Amino acid sequence: MATAESVVFEHVTKRYGVAEARREAAAGRLPAAVDDLSFEVPAGRICVLVGPSGCGKTTSLKMVNRLIEPTSGRILIGGEDVATRDVIALRRSIGYVIQQVGLFPHQTVGENVETVTRLLGWAPERRRARSDELLELVGLDPSRYATRYPSQLSGGERQRVGVARALAADPPVLLMDEPFGAVDPIVRERLQNELLHLQDQLAKTILFVTHDIDEAIKMGDLVAVMQAGGHLAQFAPPAEILANPASDFVARFVGADRGLKRLALTRVNELDLMAPVTASPGEDAAEARRRALADPFPWLLLVDAMRRPLGWVEEADIPTSGNLTEELASAMSPLLDRRTTLKDALARLIEAEVQAGVVTDARGAVIGLVTAEMIFDWSRRTAEEARASEGPTRETAS
Amino acid sequence: MIDWGWIADHVPAILGRAVQHLEFAAIALVVGFAISFGLALLSVRYRPAYPVVAGLAGILFTIPSLALYSSFVPVIGLSLLTVEIPLVLYTLVIYVRNIVAGFDSVPAEVLEAADGMGYTRMQRLRAVELPLAVPLMVAGLRVASVSTIGLVTISGILGSSFGGFGFFIFERPNFATEILVGAVGSIALALLADALFGVLQRRLTPWSRLNVELEMAKTGRSAAQATAAV
C-alpha cells in the first residue's frame, strides 16, 4: 500500500487573463480565480473544499494535478513541489474522480478500472487481479460487472466504478470533484457512507470538492470554506466551523441551523451522562422508594439482571412495602445507543413521555441518562469555549 | 421491351463496367478520407480553421458535377485524374463535417477524465477520441459512398473509358435496354454500399449496440444531418 502524503497549498493564486478566460469560456468552462490560498492537509485526512459556485474550489483542485497551472504560489505533495514533476507521471500518481464520472463508454468496466495500470505498463494478469480487487472493494461483484459497458450501469454503480478506477494504482492522494453531485439523495448518502468506510481502511489523503455544506461537514476531517473571488474564508475542523464561524459569510453559508448541525457531529457518550436511580424486579420496594425520593429526578428506572432497561416507575407509584415487580413499569423513554448523535437524540426526546433518553452500551446495558437540558447546556458551553479560543481560528482563516 | 438477348451477349462488358464503377468510387473514397481526416484534425485542434475548411468544401460541393468534370478536361486532358479529382473534392464536405462531428461527440467529461488520469495527447487521441468518433466517421463514409457512386455514373459524359455503369446510359440515347442496365446497375451499387457500411457501423461499435434504440436514433439523425448539410 502506498502511504498517504500531505498536500500543502502555499500562497497559491490563479488569475485569468482576457485571452485565457475567453478560451476557457469557448470550451464551456467558467474559470474561477483563486486568491492567495494557503492551507495544509495532513497525510491520510479528508479535506473538503466547499463554497458557492465561482469560489474557485474546482480550480484549486485542478491545480493539484496540474489540469490548471497556478499563476503564482506552490502546491506540495509529500513535500515535493508538483510543478517540478513530470505532468503525466504526476497525474498517474493521483486518483481523480469527477461528478460526471467520465467512464470511457467504449470500454468495459474492467478495462476502465485498468486504465492507469495499463498506462503504467503493468502486466495484463496483474492489472486484471487489481481491477477485480478494486471492484470488490467498492461493492461490485467482478464476475458480474467487469465485462459490462458503462451504459449498462446505474448512476450509483458508475460512480463506484469511477472511484475504483481512481484507486487503481494505489495513489497516495485522491482528488474528488463533486463526486456524488449527480446521483439522487438516497444513493448519495449510501455512497458517502461507503467512502467513509473505505477511507477507514485506505487512509488516503483526499481533497473533496462540494457546494453542499452538509456533505462537507459529514465527509471532512478538515473543511476549507471558500468565497467568491477565490478567498479562503475559514479552514478548520467541521465542529469548529459550526461553533465559531470566522466571518458573517461563513455563518451565513453554514446556515442558521448550524447549532443543530453541530449536534450531528457529537455522540451521546461524549457527554457527562446522568446516573439514573435503578432497581430490579424482586428488590425491596421501600428501599428503592427511599433512594428514588433522595434523587432530584422523579422516576426510577427498572432494569433486569443484565442492567438492560425494563421501564420507568414514577416515584409516587413505588409501593411502600413488598417487592418490586416488572408490571410497575408504566412508561418507556427512548433507548439510545451510545453512538447516537446529539441531533438524533434530541429528535427522539422531543416526543418522549419521560424526558430522559436511556443510553445503552453495545450489549444493551444502561450506562446513563441524557436529557434535552443536558444537550442544550453542552451546546451553549462548547459554543462559548469556541468563541473564547477565537484567536487561532481567525489566524488560520486569514 | 427489354432486349434480354443484348444483356446475355454483354455479360462480360457489364461486369467490367461494374468493376470500373467500384474502382473509381473506391479510389475517391479512400483518397478523400485521407485528405479529410487531416483537414478535420486541423479543424479540431485549431478551431478557427473549421469554418474556412467547411466553407470551402461546401462551395466545391455546390458546383454542378457536369461543369466540374468538364472544366478539368482542357487543363489535364482525359485521364484517371479527370474523374478522381472532382470525385475527391465532392467527398470533402461530407467527410470533414462527419469526422469533426465525431470528435465533437466525445463527451467533455471523458476527455477531462483521460487528461486527469495521465494520458498523453497522442494516447488520448488513439485510445479515447478515435474509437468514440468512429460511429460518426462511418456514418460519413456511408453517405459519401452513396454520393460518390452516383457521381461516377455521371462521369460517363467524359467518354467511353469512363462512367462505370454510366457508360451504358450515355452510349446510345435511343436504346432503352442499355440505359436501363446502366441505371439499375448504378442504383444497385449505391444500395449495396449503403447496406454494407450500415453493417460495418454496428460491427465497429459493440458498446453502443447495447444501447440499440438510442444509438440507432443518433446515427440515423447524424447521417440525415450530413445529407441535409450537403
Side-chain angles (χ1 to χ4, degrees), chain A residues 267-298:
Chain A
R267 305 185 185 283
V268 287
N269 63 345
E270 294 172 46
L271 299 187
D272 290 325
L273 298 177
M274 191 164 83
V277 178
T278 60
S280 298
E283 282 182 32
D284 179 48
E287 199 271 334
R289 183 182 166 88
R290 194 163 36 74
R291 281 194 291 127
L293 288 169
D295 190 273
F297 195 69

Side-chain angles (χ1 to χ4, degrees), chain A residues 321-382:
Chain A
S321 64
N323 288 341
L324 294 171
T325 59
E326 201 173 332
E327 288 70 42
L328 286 169
S330 61
M332 268 315 292
S333 68
L335 288 182
L336 306 171
D337 180 85
R338 67 205 152 91
R339 288 189 310 266
T340 309
T341 66
L342 295 189
K343 186 180 176 185
D344 291 342
L346 191 60
R348 309 253 318 262
L349 285 173
I350 286 167
E351 303 197 313
E353 191 180 340
V354 178
Q355 295 276 302
V358 179
V359 182
T360 56
D361 64 17
R363 295 188 318 277
V366 177
I367 52 178
L369 301 180
V370 62
T371 63
E373 288 75 26
M374 287 166 63
I375 295 174
F376 296 148
D377 283 345
W378 173 88
S379 176
R380 254 193 312 276
R381 188 165 41 77
T382 49

Side-chain angles (χ1 to χ4, degrees), chain A residues 141-155:
Chain A
D141 178 4
S143 65
R144 283 180 56 216
Y145 283 92
T147 55
R148 293 198 191 175
Y149 284 97
S151 61
Q152 296 172 294
L153 304 181
S154 72

